[in-house]
């Protein structure tokens, strides 16, 4: 279940109108925003159930940037991040974290991804 307050709708409209990027914080935010968006990417305020499942074939309409954790291949959260970045990029982030001794989700939402075209 999700609730999109009017302030969120207003903020996304202001960001788009001002040429700013829309940043979604946390992987739960993306399905909520995308499920509440019309085909032009305008977010509607309200409550409901986010049933949308994002993957590499989905082109986000609302968020330009995602702040999330580094997710393991084969998980639903990893599939969601594929809407923003290539497998090669995500694998590189995973390997870089491992090289520095970081474990999965050790720092929570620590990866910032700007979606690719």
């Amino acid at each position: 279940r999700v609730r999109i307050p009017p302030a969120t709708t207003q903020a996304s409209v202001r960001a788009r109108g001002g040429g700013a990027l829309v940043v979604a914080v946390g992987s739960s935010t993306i399905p909520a925003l995308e499920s509440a968006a019309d085909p032009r990417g305008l977010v509607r305020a309200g409550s409901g159930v986010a049933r949308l499942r994002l993957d590499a074939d989905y082109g986000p309409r609302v968020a330009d940037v995602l702040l999330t954790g580094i997710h393991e291949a084969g998980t639903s959260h990893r599939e969601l991040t594929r809407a923003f970045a290539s497998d090669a990029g995500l694998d590189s982030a995973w390997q870089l974290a491992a090289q520095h001794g970081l474990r999965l989700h050790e720092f929570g939402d620590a990866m910032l991804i700007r979606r690719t075209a």
Side-chain angles (χ1 to χ4, degrees):
R1 299 214 38 91
V2 299
R3 184 179 71 80
I4 307 291
T8 300
T9 299
Q10 295 162 0
S12 67
V13 168
R14 277 194 313 275
R16 287 275 181 248
L21 299 175
V22 174
V23 179
V25 178
S27 55
S28 298
T29 305
I30 293 298
L33 289 174
E34 295 293 325
S35 293
D38 70 14
R40 298 170 295 157
L42 297 174
V43 179
R44 297 176 304 268
S47 297
V49 176
R51 300 186 194 283
L52 187 60
R53 185 176 172 107
L54 282 72
D55 59 21
D57 295 326
Y58 184 85
R61 296 172 294 175
V62 179
D64 302 297
V65 178
L66 172 62
L67 177 63
T68 189
I70 300 173
H71 302 289
E72 187 175 12
T75 64
S76 62
H77 284 91
R78 171 64 179 257
E79 284 302 304
L80 182 147
T81 60
R82 294 178 69 220
F84 286 82
S86 68
D87 283 325
L90 295 168
D91 288 343
S92 177
W94 181 271
Q95 291 167 3
L96 183 62
Q99 286 172 2
H100 290 281
L102 303 178
R103 294 187 304 259
L104 180 66
H105 296 300
E106 187 169 18
F107 293 107
D109 290 344
M111 181 170 62
L112 188 68
I113 311 170
R114 183 170 180 179
R115 73 178 152 112
T116 55

